[in-house]
Structure formats: C-alpha cells, structure tokens
Amino acid sequence: MEKEKEKKKKRAAKVFCYYCERQFENEKILVQHQEAKHFKCHVCNQKLSTASGMAIHVLQVHEEAVSKVPNAIPGRESTEIEIFGMQGIPDDILAAHYGEGEQAISRTLRSFPPADYLFKVESVSVLLNTRIEKYESGSFEVGGYKWRLCLYPNGKNKSEGKGHVSLYLEISDTENLPLGWEVTVNFKFFVFNHIHENYLTVQDRRYTNDMHSSTYLDADSKARHFNVINTQCGIAQFLSLYELKDPCNGYLMDDCCIFGAEVFVIKYSGKGECLSVIKDPADGSQMEVDPIPQRKPEGKEQKPVPLSRAG
C-alpha cells in the first residue's frame, strides 16, 4: 500500500506533455504549452483546445486536411486521440513514462480455463501478414452487460503496441444503457499454452487514467471504469510477437492461438443488514439484526446504505 501511495505522489509531482514528453510544474502550464505548440492553426495561428479541434478548424475554415499534430514525437502525431492536459493519455504510456511498466502488468500461470469467454484464432500467420488492424470477437454477456474482445494482431499503434499483440475488452450495445451510465470492471486476459496445457494469465494492475483525474487510483489498483467516453480498456503490449511466434513458448500450435477473458462487474447488490445494540433490554436479549430493505437502483447503481449503531 505504501508503494502505491508513493507512485501516486510521484505522478502528481510530474506533469508531462503526451506529444513531446516535456515536463511542467502544473497542468495549467501544460495546457498553455499544448495550445501554443501542438494545437495552434498553422494558417491563422489561432490556438485550439485539442488536436481534433485544431484539425476540424483547419478543415472547415481553411479547407485543408491535417492528419498529424505539429511538433509531436514519432508515434504521437495522431489527431484522433483526445488529449487535454493530462486527460486522455493512454494507461500504458503513463506507466512507461513513470517507469511502472514492468510492475504494472501481472503475468501468472493457471491450469483451468477462463470462466467467461474463449477466443480461438486460426491461420494466425495469415492474419499477421494482412493489413487488418483490429478483429472483434462475438458478443458475450457478463453482469448484465454485453462485451467483446478486440484483438490487434500487430499491435495497437496509437497506444504504443508496436511489435506486440494488443488485446482489449470493449463494452457493446451501449445505446440501450441509461444516460450517464458507468460500469466498473475487474478483468483478466488469457492465452493458452499448448505445450504445458495451462493458461498465461495477464492482468493490468497499473493506475487508471480517469477523464476527470489523471492520477485516479482504485483501492485495489485493478478496476477499470467503462463509460460513454471510455468504452474500451486493455493491454497494448499483451504478448510480444517474438514470444508468440517462438515455438518453444507453446502459444502457437498448428498456426492456431487461443485467447480468453474473465470479467467481473463490480456493483452493489442491495443486500445487507443493520446491527442495533440495545442497552439493558427488558427481555434480556442483547442485540437485534434486521435486514436492510432492498431497493432497485434507478438510473445509476445504488450506493451502499450506511450502517448505524445504537447506543
């Protein structure tokens, strides 16, 4: 716990620009820097708030197409990623910048398969040699929500997944969810080892990058929040292509690879009880335990009912 607190302090003390890696004293100065160096129109010098806003301005006002962010380092030029200050920076880039990458990803082995979904990919060599950026699995239901796996066979380049297989969990059918929805999830990814007949279990334990606070951290540092802005979470460097292709590792057998996922939706069930201690009861009993009435949440998830004590 102390190590997690130190990491949080470390992040709060270092504010950096996603596009050029420069560090600043605070986020206000960072935003000013981004507007001046990365979001400024090259035609009329108007400063915009985001890269996409700059691209739209140049297209609509000056009828020019802009596909790269000015003065950005290689791999960070995309105008499609919505960055404002520290908000919106991909989790893997945050971890890499703060030197947390190796400690953030947990890799363990287990003998039994994932509980929720298996995703078998055949003709992997063909898939790796095509220009298919992303492949989406079929939908599966967990916790009352629909999900799917998104596989990037040659890495998700926008999140520094080059040279790796990237694997992401995506919530689907969101049009049927209520306004302001948010789903909190703890998930694990798997890849089957055909030689040892076990599963490599991979879980991201790093800091989350919540849109409201770039230093947001869950108590167990493993939960992820899905909402209308963030519908996809995963691991850009899930498995290196070198490890995948090496026959000694056993992940690829007869040009076939098996991935999987386990998803746990964290939500309050409405169940609980209230303990009331009665001083000097007339009938000699010492306490009463009454169930807390269950209520169905309206719109958002129901918050836990606080427990109370009687003298």
Side-chain angles (χ1 to χ4, degrees), residues 135-154:
Y135 182 84
E136 296 179 352
S137 74
S139 294
F140 59 97
E141 184 171 341
V142 179
Y145 300 94
K146 295 289 185 67
W147 308 90
R148 59 173 166 248
L149 293 180
C150 295
L151 177 70
Y152 297 80
N154 289 292

Side-chain angles (χ1 to χ4, degrees), residues 80-280:
E80 297 180 9
I81 299 180
E82 197 74 5
I83 303 290
F84 179 78
M86 290 284 289
Q87 298 176 22
I89 300 178
D91 289 332
D92 51 346
I93 293 179
L94 281 172
H97 180 85
Y98 294 114
E100 301 164 6
E102 293 299 320
Q103 302 174 4
I105 304 297
S106 168
R107 300 178 187 272
T108 57
L109 296 174
R110 80 181 204 188
S111 59
F112 52 96
D116 296 313
Y117 199 70
L118 279 175
F119 180 28
K120 184 177 181 180
V121 180
E122 297 179 334
S123 303
V124 174
S125 60
V126 177
L127 183 64
L128 292 175
N129 291 324
T130 63
R131 293 186 177 182
I132 298 176
E133 180 188 7
K134 177 177 71 169
Y135 182 84
E136 296 179 352
S137 74
S139 294
F140 59 97
E141 184 171 341
V142 179
Y145 300 94
K146 295 289 185 67
W147 308 90
R148 59 173 166 248
L149 293 180
C150 295
L151 177 70
Y152 297 80
N154 289 292
K156 188 177 182 182
N157 292 327
K158 294 177 183 178
S159 298
E160 297 191 345
K162 187 177 180 180
H164 293 75
V165 173
S166 301
L167 191 59
Y168 283 73
L169 178 69
E170 185 173 80
I171 189 168
S172 58
D173 294 347
T174 56
E175 63 274 5
N176 298 320
L177 298 178
L179 185 66
W181 64 271
E182 182 172 84
V183 185
T184 303
V185 171
N186 190 322
F187 62 87
K188 299 177 182 178
F189 291 140
F190 301 80
V191 60
F192 183 62
N193 188 312
H194 293 82
I195 297 176
H196 300 290
E197 296 187 343
N198 57 17
Y199 291 84
L200 174 66
T201 307
V202 185
Q203 186 170 27
D204 190 347
R205 304 171 64 91
R206 78 189 82 209
Y207 286 78
T208 62
N209 183 26
D210 187 270
M211 286 298 292
H212 302 294
S213 172
S214 55
T215 56
Y216 181 86
L217 175 67
D218 288 286
D220 64 354
S221 71
K222 291 179 288 187
R224 292 292 178 267
H225 304 281
F226 291 78
N227 49 50
V228 68
I229 297 176
N230 186 40
T231 59
Q232 187 188 79
C233 289
I235 303 175
Q237 298 182 2
F238 172 70
L239 185 68
S240 74
L241 292 175
Y242 176 81
E243 289 179 284
L244 175 67
K245 295 176 181 179
D246 188 342
C248 296
N249 290 328
Y251 300 129
L252 200 58
M253 183 70 71
D254 296 328
D255 210 20
C256 169
C257 189
I258 302 175
F259 302 97
E262 242 173 35
V263 182
F264 178 72
V265 178
I266 304 171
K267 57 182 178 180
Y268 178 57
S269 66
K271 298 177 181 179
E273 64 181 37
C274 178
L275 174 63
S276 299
V277 179
I278 303 174
K279 185 177 181 180
D280 299 328

